[in-house]
Each structure stands twice: as C-alpha cells, then as structure tokens.
Amino acid sequence: MALCSTDDRGCFPYIHFSRQAWAKLRASMPLTLSEADMRKLRGINEGVSLEEVVDIYLPLARLLNFYIVATQQLRYGMGRFLGYLSPKVPYVIGIAGSVAVGKSTTARILQALLARWPDHPKVDLVTTDGFLYPNRILVERGLMRRKGFPESYDLRRLVRFVADVKSGRAVVTAPDAGFGVDTNRITILHATGAQEALPLMSKHAVAHAILNRVVPLLRETSGYLSTGRRE
C-alpha cells in the first residue's frame, strides 16, 4: 500500500500511524478474548495486555479479514467469469521476526481473534519449530548455538509444505511429533474438563506453554493457602 503526497515528496511504501490512530481502525469490532484467554495465549515472559489486544491486534485482525474476504470474493468472481470454480485453498499468513521476539504469541492471539470471524471459523497454526533439523544434525553441523536461525531449518521441507498447502492438496501433513523428533503436539486437560489442543511446537516451547498455565494456578493456590494460614 503506497501513500502519495500532493507536494514534491512523492510516494512512500508505507503508511505511518500513531497508536491512537491505529486503535480507532478497529471500528466496532468487539473484544472476544478474556483475561483468562490471554493467560493461555501469551508467552511465559511476555506481558501482552488486553489493552494491547484492543489497540493493536483488533485493528490488525480486521485488516487481515478484509484481505481474506477479498480473496474469497475474487475466487467466486473468477469462477463466474471462467464458468469453473477452482478448489478453495487456505489463506496463508506468515509472521517473520528475529529469535524470541514474540512471534508465537502474536500468532496465537491472531489465530484466536480470526477464528471468531464467521467468514473463516477454522484457523490452523503451524509453527516453524517443526521444521528445525533434529539436534543430531545440528550438532554434526555445529549449529546448536544457532538453533532458531535460518540455517538451522530444513528449508526445502518448509517450502514443500507451504507449496502443498497453497496448491490445494486435500491432505497435507505437518512435521511429526513424539519421542523421535524435537517437536511435539499436546492437548491440555483442564480441571473443568475443557480440552486445549496446542499446535505443533518445539519441546522447549511446549514446556513454556505448560509452565505458562501452571504458574498462575500455583500463584492462586499459594495465595489462597497463605490467606488461610493468616486466618
């Protein structure tokens, strides 16, 4: 998206917003996440607040929804023009950034928000952790200290996976989980009986996800017990 001025400054590749101006772009989009939801979504060392979700993520989710709906409408329009409706393929959103900057938290929050739109209720999250080379290969190549950097990923496998998704293949398998690899996919059973399925992620990230849910519970229990002792 380019912004052109009426003077001699020409066009710029980006539009700049203040936080206040950006927050207004959410329009009437409601906040569908609670503080309990945020505790599950944020990383263990990341303090994303509901205020940030309202100011930053809701406008972004609304913008992404415009793109997704426009793509869907283009597919139907081309189908009417050609007399043939092409297979529906997923809309892929990529989140890039340096190591440990909050990409996973951003992805989880956007997944939760976008899944609440009626136009695309199914939103899957695939992390790049599943495409890391096994530790054995990283050790052989002297890359253990570079784990998480581009050279530590099986890029051919990653590109093939994305190509399969975008080509509309009926069945696309994400990298495996279990004892033989460095990634895992788990389901957390809560005391209420609710089940929370986590996406495929590194076992390190799985440990953080579990701690991120257990630590607040321990704090609540500790506070309750302490209060009980005082009484």
Side-chain angles (χ1 to χ4, degrees), residues 11 30 46 67 81 91 93 97 101 105 116 118 133 163 175 178 188 198 207 211 224:
C11 297
E46 297 165 354
Y67 276 97
F81 175 73
Y91 188 93
I93 301 171
V101 295
T105 297
R116 287 162 168 79
Y133 284 118
I188 297 177
L198 298 183
L211 286 174
Y224 174 78

Side-chain angles (χ1 to χ4, degrees), residues 44-95:
I44 192 167
N45 294 319
E46 297 165 354
V48 180
S49 66
L50 284 176
E51 181 182 4
E52 289 180 90
V53 173
V54 171
D55 290 350
I56 306 300
Y57 288 94
L58 283 182
L60 180 56
R62 183 170 180 242
L63 176 62
L64 289 171
N65 183 67
F66 284 145
Y67 276 97
I68 296 169
V69 172
T71 301
Q72 293 172 346
Q73 292 175 343
L74 176 61
R75 171 174 171 264
Y76 289 123
M78 290 297 294
R80 289 193 297 270
F81 175 73
L82 298 173
Y84 166 74
L85 187 62
S86 61
K88 186 176 182 180
V89 298
Y91 188 93
V92 178
I93 301 171
I95 299 178

Side-chain angles (χ1 to χ4, degrees), residues 67-215:
Y67 276 97
I68 296 169
V69 172
T71 301
Q72 293 172 346
Q73 292 175 343
L74 176 61
R75 171 174 171 264
Y76 289 123
M78 290 297 294
R80 289 193 297 270
F81 175 73
L82 298 173
Y84 166 74
L85 187 62
S86 61
K88 186 176 182 180
V89 298
Y91 188 93
V92 178
I93 301 171
I95 299 178
S98 188
V99 177
V101 295
K103 299 185 297 296
S104 296
T105 297
T106 296
R108 288 192 295 268
I109 293 174
L110 286 177
Q111 179 192 26
L113 292 174
L114 290 172
R116 287 162 168 79
W117 283 83
D119 301 301
H120 38 80
K122 183 173 176 55
V123 183
D124 289 319
L125 176 60
V126 178
T127 68
T128 54
D129 290 334
F131 298 93
L132 284 165
Y133 284 118
N135 285 342
R136 174 182 54 81
I137 295 179
L138 294 177
V139 170
E140 290 175 356
R141 299 182 181 182
L143 293 174
M144 278 301 293
R145 293 183 178 272
R146 299 290 295 172
K147 192 170 185 177
F149 288 85
E151 60 268 30
S152 65
Y153 289 94
D154 187 343
L155 295 181
R156 287 187 178 181
R157 190 182 184 195
L158 173 59
V159 171
R160 185 167 59 249
F161 174 81
V162 175
D164 287 344
V165 170
K166 289 299 294 179
S167 66
R169 288 190 60 177
V171 178
V172 180
T173 303
D176 294 332
F179 292 107
V181 293
D182 300 322
T183 54
N184 220 335
R185 183 186 290 107
I186 67 170
T187 298
I188 297 177
L189 302 179
H190 293 272
T192 59
Q195 297 185 15
E196 180 186 1
L198 298 183
L200 185 77
M201 59 180 69
S202 69
K203 292 177 179 177
H204 179 76
V206 168
H208 274 265
I210 294 173
L211 286 174
N212 194 39
R213 288 150 180 78
V214 171
V215 169

